[in-house]
Amino acid sequence: MDFKEKFEKLGVKEIKALGEQFDPNIHEAVMHMEDETVDDNTVVEEFRKGYIYNDSRVVRHSMVKVAN
């Protein structure tokens, strides 16, 4: 059993970020970029994975770059 499986058994899951709409409740935007090929407020890069406990409580926000 690897680390990720152990976390999931405890109810801790990775937050999906790349390609998702920016959500300040689960993402921390540390950079912005202009990109005409991507919809506004779309996460285009993930610097640090975030985790959520029991689908309700953020353990650590995902650190991301967002397109404007």
Side-chain angles (χ1 to χ4, degrees):
M1 183 179 292
D2 69 351
F3 188 70
K4 186 176 176 181
E5 289 173 345
K6 288 181 182 180
F7 260 12
E8 286 179 357
K9 268 187 110 168
L10 295 171
V12 178
K13 298 179 187 174
E14 288 183 1
I15 295 172
K16 294 181 183 177
L18 195 57
E20 300 290 322
Q21 282 295 111
F22 175 74
D23 180 351
N25 296 311
I26 59 174
H27 302 128
E28 178 183 354
V30 295
M31 292 181 75
H32 294 273
M33 67 175 284
E34 297 294 326
D35 190 340
E36 301 289 327
T37 64
V38 181
D39 291 336
D40 284 350
N41 293 322
T42 300
V43 175
V44 293
E45 191 172 345
E46 182 178 40
F47 300 113
R48 183 182 72 195
K49 290 233 176 265
Y51 297 93
I52 194 163
Y53 176 67
N54 286 336
D55 295 321
S56 62
R57 184 173 180 158
V58 175
V59 176
R60 181 172 82 177
H61 289 77
S62 298
M63 188 180 293
V64 299
K65 180 193 290 187
V66 180
N68 287 347

